[in-house]
Amino acid sequence: MENKLKSVLSGTGFYVLLAVCLIVAAVSGYLLLFGGDKPAPEETTAAPQVSVSAPARDVYVPEAPEEREETPVEAAAPAPVEVEVVPLMPELPVDDTPVIAEAPRLVVSPLKGEVLMAFSMDQLVYSPTLEDWRTHDGVDISATPGTTVLAATAGTVSSVEDDPLMGSTVVIEHEGGYTTTYSNLQATPTVLPGDLVTAGQIIGAVGSTAAAESAQSPHLHFSVCKDGEAMDPEEFLDQ
């Protein structure tokens, strides 16, 4: 065996063996340099198979609405408005006279007391003093002597006199045609003819100067005239 090995190594066999070794070494080096960078083949993973138990339903897709041509809307004509024709009024003359405001007339009772004899021009009443039946143009108001007598409303004293039948008497004229008369006063009243008096102003006091009514208890005889005609004093005081 040893003799065979020696014969191989000593002859051409040595060069052949050396060449084979070089080739093997070269192939191994090539594989180490260029074969190691290639990635290993990826394992192919089979996709799982999904079993469909029921067929898929059809999806409803709505149809696009049809485009309609819009018909232009014509504006309605405004309804006619009836205009009322007002006739022209004729021009009237303008009164430039300034208006002066007048205070309302204040009327008060000349005194407070019991009525002894009422106003009576339609029927006759009995006079205890004259002992006959006659008209009575005023109202007799009971009062104690010395009781103050007031002007029933504003006015001007027209007369202060001593009447033979009605005694001491004051007459006052007022606006609107009214006249008030206060009789059976004390002898000396507190006003004079021409005096301006206001409603409620003292003009005298109750006396006992009326001879035609002396049989009655002390009182004031109060009478009122409108445009010269006797009127019920109660109506005048109620204004």
Side-chain angles (χ1 to χ4, degrees), residues 149-152 157 170 172 182 185 188-191 197 201-205:
V149 177
L150 311 178
V157 178
V170 173
I172 303 176
Y182 312 81
L185 300 176
T188 307
T190 58
V191 292
V197 296
Q201 181 177 333
I202 298 174
I203 61 172

Side-chain angles (χ1 to χ4, degrees), residues 23-239:
I23 292 170
V24 172
V27 171
S28 298
Y30 177 80
L31 292 177
L32 290 175
L33 292 176
F34 300 101
D37 294 337
K38 292 183 179 180
E42 296 181 358
E43 296 181 359
T44 303
T45 304
Q49 295 182 356
V50 180
S51 61
V52 180
S53 58
R57 296 182 179 179
D58 295 336
V59 178
Y60 172 74
V61 179
E63 297 181 357
E66 296 181 359
E67 295 184 0
R68 297 182 179 180
E69 295 183 0
E70 296 184 358
T71 304
V73 179
E74 297 182 358
V81 179
E82 295 183 0
V83 179
E84 183 179 358
V85 179
V86 180
L88 297 177
M89 298 298 293
E91 294 185 2
L92 300 177
V94 179
D95 186 3
D96 296 331
T97 304
V99 178
I100 301 175
E102 297 182 359
R105 182 175 60 188
L106 176 63
V107 179
V108 299
S109 177
L111 59 79
K112 300 294 183 181
E114 179 186 356
V115 175
L116 299 177
M117 186 175 291
F119 172 81
S120 180
M121 293 297 290
D122 297 335
Q123 296 180 354
L124 300 178
V125 294
Y126 182 74
S127 170
T129 304
L130 300 176
E131 297 181 349
D132 62 2
W133 293 83
R134 61 179 61 208
T135 60
H136 193 245
D137 66 348
V139 58
D140 295 339
I141 306 173
S142 176
T144 58
T147 302
T148 55
V149 177
L150 311 178
T153 189
T156 303
V157 178
S158 61
S159 67
V160 176
E161 61 182 3
D162 185 11
D163 186 91
L165 295 177
M166 299 308 298
S168 182
T169 301
V170 173
V171 180
I172 303 176
E173 293 182 354
H174 312 280
E175 293 182 354
Y178 292 98
T179 301
T180 56
T181 301
Y182 312 81
S183 300
N184 200 31
L185 300 176
Q186 290 183 351
T188 307
T190 58
V191 292
L192 298 173
D195 286 352
L196 299 177
V197 296
T198 58
Q201 181 177 333
I202 298 174
I203 61 172
V206 174
S208 57
T209 58
E213 296 181 347
S214 59
Q216 297 175 236
S217 59
H219 64 277
L220 168 70
H221 180 88
F222 176 58
S223 60
V224 180
C225 288
K226 174 71 167 70
D227 298 329
E229 297 290 334
M231 67 174 292
D232 189 348
E234 295 294 339
E235 295 180 2
F236 175 78
L237 296 176
D238 290 340
Q239 294 181 0

